[in-house]
Amino acid sequence: LHYHTFATTATPHLGVAKNTFVPLPRFAEHVIGRTLLSTGKDLFRLDHYSDGSSKRGNANDLIYQMSTDYETFLKPLSLFQKRVAYINAFRTDFQVPTATAAFLSRESAYPHYIQTIPTHSAMEGGKEDERIEQNAKGQNHPFLVAVATTKTNHAILSSKTNEDEKSHTHHMSTKLDSLGWDKVFVDVREYIPMPSIARPSFSFGKKKISSRQKWEEFIDSISPSDTVDTSADGSVRGDTTTVEEKVVTSKDLEKYMTGSDRISIPVGHQVMVANSKNEKYKKFTENGKPVMNHLAHELVMGLLSK
């Protein structure tokens, strides 16, 4: 057996303490967490006070340990050739908001590499320098916002955990990022079979743009850090597809992926994973099948390419 791909879909890697869909005071998190028994206690990290200090040390905080303990948790994960996380962007996931699913921190500058493919007009020096966000193989999918790749940093990964770390979220985020991941951000707002409304704007005189357009404009404003030619299977060789690599940070992604210009019913969690536990659910979430088909395709192609 070989450890090939470790994949997560809408998973609360950082827990949900301070990462709920609607911000909650810490006392409310305690009430809800205790109502949900041991699972709620772990997800809301009830062994920690609101200032980040612990009652009986970090050993009782399972989520923290899973994110920072190298020997027990991170080392086994590092044995996989590839780690992939699928994340709902733009406030569609009530259970697992974007920041915890992508283990983002507004304090972290850990580099994330975004691959973009210039359109013909851009490559030929056209007036419109448009970019199409695509995966590493150049396949264009309407739901795909970006694939952000972090590179393995063994020094950070195996470094001793600082028990006095003031910002546990930042520390957890950095440790997980240092494993090396492909973070796949998806936008399922158009796939939710319920109406949404535009969020009120108070910027008079300014043209309103969508959350996705803001992200695309931000990416366009960044100069490429590298340009490579890739073949259809993603390997680097010959004169094939030109791919530009741009670098953003964890806090950049936290800024652009966690907001939304629209108010949607936040059922993206069920839709993204195409939950089909019964016929009613299957009908409700069927529009999310392309996302899971994309994940399945990537898993199979990854195995066949080895």
Side-chain angles (χ1 to χ4, degrees):
L1 293 177
H2 298 277
Y3 298 94
H4 191 275
T5 302
F6 178 82
T8 67
T9 55
T11 301
H13 295 277
L14 301 179
V16 295
K18 296 185 179 180
N19 273 309
T20 49
F21 186 79
V22 177
L24 298 173
R26 187 57 175 162
F27 80 85
E29 292 187 344
H30 271 270
V31 172
I32 297 172
R34 294 189 186 284
T35 301
L36 298 174
L37 304 178
S38 59
T39 299
K41 180 181 177 182
D42 289 335
L43 287 174
F44 282 98
R45 303 180 59 212
L46 298 187
D47 281 320
H48 278 79
Y49 291 118
S50 59
D51 62 359
S53 61
S54 63
K55 293 180 180 178
R56 296 179 296 276
N58 294 323
N60 297 297
D61 185 345
L62 180 61
I63 297 293
Y64 182 80
Q65 289 298 319
M66 291 176 69
S67 303
T68 60
D69 186 331
Y70 177 69
E71 289 297 330
T72 307
F73 296 105
L74 300 183
K75 186 176 180 180
L77 280 180
S78 72
L79 299 178
F80 287 88
Q81 296 179 30
K82 186 177 182 180
R83 286 153 295 278
V84 181
Y86 274 65
I87 303 117
N88 274 316
F90 308 135
R91 288 184 64 79
T92 59
D93 197 321
F94 183 84
Q95 291 96 321
V96 187
T98 306
T100 185
F103 37 98
L104 303 175
S105 170
R106 64 185 61 180
E107 302 170 39
S108 175
Y110 202 97
H112 289 62
Y113 298 85
I114 310 290
Q115 288 190 344
T116 64
I117 297 177
T119 61
H120 290 294
S121 62
M123 290 188 289
E124 296 171 1
K127 293 181 180 180
E128 296 183 359
D129 188 23
E130 298 176 349
R131 306 289 175 180
I132 302 176
E133 285 299 329
Q134 300 182 342
N135 66 7
K137 297 176 184 178
Q139 297 169 316
N140 190 20
H141 300 279
F143 58 81
L144 188 61
V145 182
V147 179
T149 301
T150 66
K151 297 181 180 180
T152 305
N153 187 318
H154 293 287
I156 294 176
L157 187 60
S158 59
S159 64
K160 186 176 179 181
T161 297
N162 182 3
E163 297 291 334
D164 297 324
E165 186 76 39
K166 289 184 178 180
S167 175
H168 280 186
T169 300
H170 179 201
H171 187 52
M172 293 159 67
S173 169
T174 302
K175 277 280 193 175
L176 287 170
D177 277 339
S178 67
L179 279 165
W181 289 79
D182 284 337
K183 301 182 184 181
V184 184
F185 292 88
V186 300
D187 180 5
V188 298
R189 288 177 295 180
E190 296 299 320
Y191 299 168
I192 295 174
M194 303 174 79
S196 64
I197 60 173
R199 190 176 295 275
S201 175
F202 301 100
S203 300
F204 299 104
K206 292 184 179 180
K207 181 182 178 181
K208 186 176 180 179
I209 61 175
S210 69
S211 301
R212 192 157 179 171
Q213 287 175 314
K214 288 180 181 178
W215 162 253
E216 291 169 351
E217 289 185 0
F218 171 67
I219 285 295
D220 285 346
S221 70
I222 301 174
S223 299
S225 63
D226 196 11
T227 302
V228 297
D229 289 331
T230 63
S231 63
D233 62 4
S235 60
V236 179
R237 70 168 187 265
D239 182 17
T240 50
T241 303
T242 301
V243 175
E244 293 183 346
E245 192 171 69
K246 299 186 176 185
V247 184
V248 300
T249 65
S250 180
K251 58 185 176 183
D252 290 330
L253 290 165
E254 196 276 340
K255 176 181 178 181
Y256 287 98
M257 295 295 179
T258 59
S260 178
D261 60 294
R262 301 194 66 80
I263 300 174
S264 306
I265 305 299
V267 292
H269 188 84
Q270 294 88 337
V271 172
M272 191 252 268
V273 299
N275 190 321
S276 56
K277 62 182 181 180
N278 57 47
E279 285 302 316
K280 188 175 292 186
Y281 253 95
K282 186 176 180 180
K283 182 67 176 177
F284 183 77
T285 65
E286 63 182 357
N287 291 340
K289 288 182 180 179
V291 182
M292 290 298 96
N293 288 343
H294 180 267
L295 170 58
H297 178 269
E298 292 298 300
L299 291 174
V300 172
M301 294 305 295
L303 290 171
L304 295 178
S305 66
K306 299 299 179 183

